[in-house]
Amino acid sequence: MVGRTAYARRTTGDHLLYTDEQAVEDGVLVDIGANVRFLGLPVNRMTRHLFDDLKPFIEAESPLFDGDFGKALASVLRTKCQLAQGSPDNTGEVGDIWRIPPNLWIVKNEVGVGPLCTLRIIEGHNSRRS
């Protein structure tokens, strides 16, 4: 399954074969902008499956935000991020994971060139390192 490779991590000396950019282009990940921040970093990616599951709820909330889907999504994600709990073995580096009950995860990942790190929300992540 091509989507699974989108979650591969880069380790010292090895590079991803399937980048976040490619996963967005393929529809495996959704670029949700950077309207939400968690620990000072932008939350800007979400799995397509999770996005599709949340979409009806976000659309139902949109009228509270003058019909702005992006603002409604940001509101829901800010609330979810407040519940996030860090993994005890987080090191402050790419690959750190925070759990959002009941079964969501925020993963610190690299996007672009330079020191930019962003966060990606995925569902059902069950291991420290993929």
Side-chain angles (χ1 to χ4, degrees):
M1 174 181 185
V2 77
R4 297 248 182 227
T5 59
Y7 307 118
R9 294 242 213 303
R10 184 173 69 176
T11 57
T12 306
D14 295 330
H15 294 280
L16 293 174
L17 298 176
Y18 192 70
T19 66
D20 268 13
E21 183 177 278
Q22 289 169 319
V24 169
E25 288 173 11
D26 291 345
V28 173
L29 293 178
V30 176
D31 184 341
I32 58 172
N35 297 322
V36 176
R37 297 185 82 70
F38 177 73
L39 300 178
L41 297 171
V43 177
N44 66 352
R45 301 277 195 271
M46 178 182 292
T47 62
R48 167 60 64 186
H49 185 262
L50 177 58
F51 181 83
D52 290 345
D53 281 352
L54 288 178
K55 188 174 180 180
F57 300 102
I58 304 305
E59 288 172 339
E61 294 292 313
S62 291
L64 299 173
F65 298 89
D66 297 321
D68 189 323
F69 183 89
K71 286 183 181 178
L73 176 61
S75 176
V76 168
L77 293 180
R78 277 189 206 100
T79 301
K80 293 249 179 226
C81 286
Q82 290 176 0
L83 302 172
Q85 301 169 348
S87 174
D89 58 343
N90 282 353
T91 62
E93 299 175 3
V94 169
D96 282 355
I97 296 172
W98 294 265
R99 181 177 181 270
I100 301 174
N103 199 26
L104 299 177
W105 301 85
I106 297 178
V107 180
K108 186 174 183 181
N109 61 293
E110 276 185 286
V111 175
V113 179
L116 176 65
C117 285
T118 61
L119 300 171
R120 173 175 42 189
I121 297 180
I122 60 176
E123 58 186 326
H125 188 77
N126 61 8
S127 65
R128 173 70 178 119
R129 302 284 179 206
S130 311

